[in-house]
Structures are given as structure tokens and as C-alpha cells.
Amino acid sequence: MTTQNAITWPDAYLPGTGDNFVSNEVIVKDLAAADVWPLLVDTSVWESYYDNVADIAFPQGGGPELKAELDFSFGTFGFPPLDAHVVELRAPGDGTPGRLSWTAKQDGTPDERLNVLHAWLVEDLPGGRVRILTQESQFGKPAAELAARTPNPMLNGHQAWLDGLVSAARRGRDS
């Protein structure tokens, strides 16, 4: 029996306590965490495999590779660039999943405020498989509006991110 790891959630962002929560996961064969991880933490390649991200910037320097405690910003889902902060980053290792999470915020009027935690887990599974899990917990009126739409744009957008990430990892491995 294989026990799969889970995202570590800060209490302030526990799934089901906010206005929108989405969870997307893929398990694919013939890829490893080492194939996927560099494409996830290097923001300079995000736009090459995910079309719902733009305007990535590092207002205090650093980047394009994400690191713990790094501040960055990016636009997504039609929002102006969100202020983001990496709160967890641990590369995958032998028997240890990779973990990445960031908070992202939009200030403004109460109708505009958005606060999220987007988390990733990348782990090798037996049999030459890799599991990629991404989950996001969101708070604010814009999050509630996304959650009320059918289909949920956040759910579909994150699936597109996963699919693009897997395709890019396969291309990188095969080149």
C-alpha cells in the first residue's frame, strides 16, 4: 500500500474555510519529480506552458527561480498583478516530496480584496510515476464570484497548468 503525502496548510488558509477552494491532481507514468520541479520553480518558463499567467516580476529583486521568502508578482485570471510571497519551498529528494506554496493578495476596496494560498506537492511514486497536486484556498469577494461560476474557472485553469507542466516535462525529458 502506498500512502500519499498531503499539502501542509496554515490554519488561516484551511480548505473549506474560505470563499473558494480547488484541488487538481495528476499522476503520470514515465516522469519523475526531477523532470517536473525545475519547470515549476523557474517562473521564466511558466508562460511557455501555461497561458493564464503574465507580467511576472520581482519588485525587490531575485528571480526568476522561486526561493523561500521571495516576493514576486504575477497576473492571472484577469486580475491585475497579485503580490505574492513564497512561504514554503522544499525541493523533492529521495523519498521526500517537493513542496511549494505562496500567498497572493490583491488590495483595494472590500469588493476587490483577494487573499489566497496556492500550494504544490510533487512526489515520485513507485513504478516510475510522478504525482503533482496543486490546491488553492481563496478568500474575498472575487474568490466567491469565481466559485459561483460553472464551470469553476479556477479548477479548469489549474488543470490547464498541470497539463502544461506535464507536457513541458515530457518535452524536456525527451529532448
Side-chain angles (χ1 to χ4, degrees), residues 13 72 74 83-87 101-105 115-118:
Y13 294 96
F72 67 108
F74 65 100
D83 296 323
H85 178 79
V86 177
V87 294
S101 65
W102 61 76
T103 56
K105 297 180 181 181
N115 184 3
V116 308
L117 185 114
H118 191 154

Side-chain angles (χ1 to χ4, degrees), residues 84-127:
H85 178 79
V86 177
V87 294
E88 182 179 30
L89 191 145
R90 184 175 72 209
D94 190 26
T96 305
R99 294 181 177 277
L100 169 64
S101 65
W102 61 76
T103 56
K105 297 180 181 181
Q106 174 179 280
D107 290 325
T109 68
D111 286 349
E112 298 169 329
R113 288 187 199 129
L114 179 66
N115 184 3
V116 308
L117 185 114
H118 191 154
W120 295 82
L121 189 135
V122 180
E123 68 178 321
D124 288 317
L125 298 177

